Amino acid sequence: NIRLDDDMTGDEIKKLRTDRGWSQKQLGDYLGVEQATISRLERDEWKPSGPVQRLLALLASQASVSLMAVVPE
């Protein structure tokens, strides 16, 4: 289970992404950050804050999200 608090781990963020079949770039596009930032998040080298943190919590709270509805190709 993924926690909805401020301390989501890199592994939890990666699971959130991979459970949806998203690439790091696709998650970055959704969050408004670069792919490199997603990589740093997943390696616990950077902690999300502000809007990024809220969007991750929103994703974690949803049972499923259609990528096509979120990120244009």
Side-chain angles (χ1 to χ4, degrees), residues 12-18 20-35 37-39 41-42 52 55-56 59 67 70-71:
E12 289 169 328
I13 293 168
K14 183 174 183 176
K15 179 168 177 30
L16 186 67
R17 175 178 65 78
T18 59
R20 285 163 177 75
W22 294 3
S23 67
Q24 288 182 341
K25 181 179 181 338
Q26 289 168 316
L27 180 57
D29 288 346
Y30 175 77
L31 297 175
V33 300
E34 298 291 325
Q35 176 275 326
T37 301
I38 301 302
S39 179
L41 280 169
E42 291 182 358
V52 171
L55 286 170
L56 282 170
L59 282 179
L67 181 61
V70 176
V71 179

Side-chain angles (χ1 to χ4, degrees), residues 2 7 10-11 18 30 35 40 42 46 48-50 59 61 65:
I2 297 175
D7 297 321
D11 287 339
T18 59
Y30 175 77
Q35 176 275 326
R40 290 176 59 211
E42 291 182 358
W46 184 72
S49 61
L59 282 179
S61 70
V65 174

